[in-house]
Amino acid sequence: MKADIIKKLKSENKALNDEKLSEDLGIFDTTIQQHIRELQDLGYHISETDKGYHLTNEPDVLFPWEFEKRESHIHYFSEVNSTMDVARNMAKDDCPHFTVIIAESQTKGRGRLKRKWISEEGGLYFTIVLRPDMPITLVHMVNFCASLSLAKILQNHFSLNAKVKWPNDVLVDDKKISGLLSEMEADDNGIYFVNIGIGINVNNDPALEEPNATSLKKLLGKDVLRKTILSLFLDEFENSLNLSNVNKIMIQWKKYTMTLGKEVRIVTSRETTEGTAIDVDESGALILKLEDGSLKKIIYGDCFVR
Ligand code: BTN
């Protein structure tokens, strides 16, 4: 019911009194005030005058009803250990393709290579459950498609110099604005699920913990609504997954990357390799040209530009 009240206040964009809301939404007058109080507690700025209730600004909230056509596939939590854990459980319980789990905060957010992902207030943290119909050998394309989609919306909607860094970071002006983590379950019958977890620095200041990171607020000098970013991203990512073939994703990813042509150091738990990043092959591996001229294929690792 709260969602209906918010939708109504937004669509009418003027003050509505108890009688009008009660009549249009088919609820008792007496319960409206209670719902309004609860909405105010959730962060909605609703003023009350003798003309009725008026929604005075767009709060930075991520409740499912804020994503109209996706509402039934979006799950919002104020705090979780990690959206990856919630997503894994939901995926095992057969939730539908493109289910999105959002958390306001994570107590055990995680990054690639078992790193911690600090989830400060104002950031955007979510995991998407996907059930792609593709051979397991191509599954890395889903990750490439996700980081590419984010770089595209940051370029196209915010005029930012956003680039993808192998394997899956998004940087703006060479500083990390987003990281992506994926987890998968598959068997002989194919992929059961691929969960893509994304953390985006929106209105938080990651530089306090991580000097080489930035946020949208820092870059644009103002707060940005996280629901706008998420909405744009989900639309772009879903369309790209539906419309693009593997080759197209890879060609575009190469256009948007800052890694190729650079002198890089790749660090894994086992070794460190230095060389020039010359290509990414069809399996998503980075091809390095080493100092002695030989080529080395790198499947995973942290990439540092030297
Ligand atoms: C990385 O850069 O190492 C990847 C970071 C991925 C962080 C996101 S935040 C939402 C989701 N939940 C997690 O615990 N991790 C991912």
Side-chain angles (χ1 to χ4, degrees):
M1 195 44 71
K2 283 192 274 301
D4 292 338
I5 295 176
I6 279 300
K7 281 180 198 158
K8 190 80 194 155
L9 290 175
K10 272 190 193 175
S11 66
E12 300 269 338
N13 195 21
K14 61 177 186 196
L16 300 175
N17 60 24
D18 291 275
E19 294 83 68
K20 173 83 177 140
L21 284 171
S22 157
E23 195 180 299
D24 288 0
L25 300 176
I27 43 175
F28 292 119
D29 259 31
T30 44
T31 58
I32 288 175
Q33 212 172 37
Q34 178 61 26
H35 288 306
I36 294 282
R37 295 273 170 278
E38 286 171 18
L39 283 165
Q40 287 167 330
D41 288 345
L42 288 173
Y44 289 95
H45 295 240
I46 302 171
S47 67
E48 297 171 47
T49 64
D50 46 2
K51 291 207 177 95
Y53 305 106
H54 189 209
L55 185 65
T56 52
N57 75 353
E58 280 276 334
D60 189 19
V61 289
L62 298 165
F63 303 120
W65 58 78
E66 293 289 341
F67 304 87
E68 216 162 315
K69 61 182 187 351
R70 301 189 182 276
E71 188 173 344
S72 62
H73 282 40
I74 292 202
H75 301 265
Y76 170 87
F77 299 88
S78 54
E79 185 177 285
V80 293
N81 286 342
S82 161
T83 54
M84 301 307 285
D85 297 339
V86 181
R88 173 169 283 271
N89 290 336
M90 285 194 183
K92 283 176 183 269
D93 282 346
D94 292 333
C95 71
H97 174 69
F98 229 84
T99 294
V100 185
I101 294 97
I102 308 169
E104 201 65 51
S105 72
Q106 304 181 107
T107 50
K108 286 195 181 129
R110 54 183 188 263
R112 283 194 309 274
L113 304 173
K114 299 197 174 133
R115 275 188 311 250
K116 222 163 104 178
W117 180 267
I118 297 165
S119 311
E120 307 151 311
E121 195 184 329
L124 180 55
Y125 314 108
F126 60 98
T127 299
I128 310 172
V129 179
L130 301 168
R131 301 191 187 278
D133 185 14
M134 56 169 59
I136 192 165
T137 48
L138 293 181
V139 74
H140 58 279
M141 282 302 159
V142 176
N143 302 338
F144 282 94
C145 186
S147 51
L148 175 64
S149 299
L150 182 58
K152 273 189 186 171
I153 64 146
L154 296 180
Q155 282 199 16
N156 297 342
H157 295 268
F158 299 92
S159 304
L160 292 171
N161 176 30
K163 301 275 177 196
V164 286
K165 188 181 89 163
W166 186 89
N168 277 307
D169 286 343
V170 177
L171 312 190
V172 176
D173 299 337
D174 292 332
K175 292 194 166 194
K176 180 161 170 170
I177 196 158
S178 170
L180 188 150
L181 175 71
S182 70
E183 293 176 358
M184 169 181 88
E185 207 164 287
D187 61 22
D188 293 348
N189 300 318
I191 299 167
Y192 180 35
F193 62 79
V194 184
N195 293 345
I196 305 280
I198 304 185
I200 308 176
N201 299 320
V202 182
N203 298 319
N204 53 318
D205 185 0
L208 297 172
E209 297 283 344
E210 185 58 72
N212 272 328
T214 191
S215 69
L216 274 176
K217 179 177 178 165
K218 226 168 170 182
L219 291 160
L220 301 173
K222 59 176 185 193
D223 280 339
V224 182
L225 287 177
R226 291 171 303 164
K227 70 178 166 216
T228 307
I229 309 294
L230 184 54
S231 220
L232 289 169
F233 171 77
L234 293 175
D235 290 350
E236 177 68 41
F237 183 39
E238 192 173 39
N239 285 339
S240 301
L241 274 182
N242 289 342
L243 301 177
S244 308
N245 62 31
V246 167
N247 287 339
K248 201 168 153 197
I249 292 171
M250 216 54 231
I251 290 167
Q252 288 210 4
W253 190 91
K254 286 181 189 177
K255 278 194 192 145
Y256 275 76
T257 191
M258 49 73 73
T259 305
L260 299 184
K262 294 271 169 45
E263 297 295 314
V264 296
R265 177 182 303 118
I266 309 292
V267 181
T268 69
S269 48
R270 290 197 200 153
E271 58 175 2
T272 297
T273 316
E274 292 189 345
T276 311
I278 58 166
D279 204 0
V280 173
D281 73 7
E282 66 289 346
S283 72
L286 186 66
I287 311 294
L288 284 195
K289 188 169 185 179
L290 308 185
E291 212 175 14
D292 64 5
S294 63
L295 299 184
K296 183 167 178 173
K297 212 183 212 193
I298 309 276
I299 296 165
Y300 77 98
D302 252 349
C303 174
F304 300 93
V305 176
R306 290 189 284 155

